[in-house]
Amino acid sequence: METTIATDIEQAGPIKIKAIRKTSSLYAWYCLFVLLGIYVNSFLDRSILALLVGPIRSTVGLSDSQMGFLMGPAFAVFYTIAGLPLGWLADRMSRLTLIAVGQVFWTLSTVAFGFGRTWTHLAIARCNVGIGEATLTPSAHSLISDLFPSNQIGRAMSVYGMGIYIGSGLASLIGGMLTHGYELDKTHSLPFIGTHLGWQIIFFVVALPTIPLTLLLLTLREPSRKNQVMAVNAAGEKTVLDVPFSMFLSHVWQNRGTLFCHTFGFACLALSGYGAAAWMPEFFIRIHGWSPARAGTLIGLATIISGPLGIILGGILGDKLAQRGRLDSKMRVSMYAALGWLPFGILGPLVATGELAYLCMIPALFFSSMHWGIAPAAIQEIMPNQMRGQASALYLFVISLIGLGLGPMVLALVTDYVFQDDQQIHYSLLLTTTTATILGIFALAWGLPRYRQSRTRYEQWLKDCS
């Protein structure tokens, strides 16, 4: 059977897999929960904006489209572009150092956003938040793959992925609670930081967790890298091969059908999820007359409960099906989860009361969350170690550009230019999320046989190299 890599490095000699030091299970889980805490912090920073649309619009004077730009492209474009070279670095340097530097940078940028009073200032700060946060997930995915055995990767990635929902939920809860203490569009005087608008103060608050999380990060040690490509030189010595970017591109091209279906499918699901998350508070505020405090608190509770439950179940099911011999287990579970989302995602924007919409949102969140641990795990299952950071960055590039970049923006554009009425946001929500989810289902279904072929090639390569 044709191997995926050996033909590109024949001059380097026989390929071997590097022997690694075993990592204790307890320490691996400790590392994972530190990474989870940092991921929660990153989503807290990026997600709090969705609850503050109203006061920022009124005090800075912005439209829905401008707010959509801040929630989407201003963050996502720089997040995705910076992610590619940072993923390359994650395959070549200390991943923990990369994360530490990035965390400090995105936190300072969050504080800078809080000081903003013009759209330009806010946009620049938001772009910098995206650059800083691009250091995290490619490095974290690579670290998790080295910390855990292959039969636990799905659930480990799912635990890390819980940060999406814990961070987003906490953002809504914190925003909701602070609205009781502060009028978001009025100025308040606080010790040390002076007089600022209520919404600005919230950005200062969400930056605080960086201090203890950075201290925890300093307690970790870089794990040995598993499944590295090794070469034997002329003297008979084994060395780790410095995989050139051209070899990575060759591997991607050989698996182009798999990666297209996987990445496009999950990008569509991300567009649906990010679009809904960004505008769900405004949906309840505009259509059902909820206060920002009520919307933030109830959405936050649903997100913190349904999201982690869904993502953990997705990881468990993906690993269980894999143990039963289903090579496409992780993509298959995601396809079924997207089908489960459809009835609740369609009904939610159409029901008559906010309470019924909320009851639809809870299972919709559950099903839509099942993807985000097993999707990156599926990428790791077909990539050698020296390519995992780059592969993760490429995956994040596409899903973030389409999902995070276009999701909030497309929904806002549909509201502004198709329905031309702020009070038609529920129809915008229905149209964009349903269309994107159906496209995602078709892409994943088309990719199942292609993913099985890629898994078979990679498993054979591992056997040939052992």
Side-chain angles (χ1 to χ4, degrees), residues 81 239 466:
I81 291 173
T239 59
S466 59

Side-chain angles (χ1 to χ4, degrees), residues 411-425:
L411 199 149
L413 290 172
V414 171
T415 302
D416 283 348
Y417 297 105
V418 176
F419 297 108
Q420 299 181 356
D421 183 355
D422 287 355
Q423 293 304 118
Q424 302 296 311
I425 191 173

Side-chain angles (χ1 to χ4, degrees), residues 359-370:
L359 289 176
C360 289
M361 187 190 76
I362 293 172
L365 262 171
F366 175 82
F367 284 111
S368 67
S369 68
M370 291 178 69

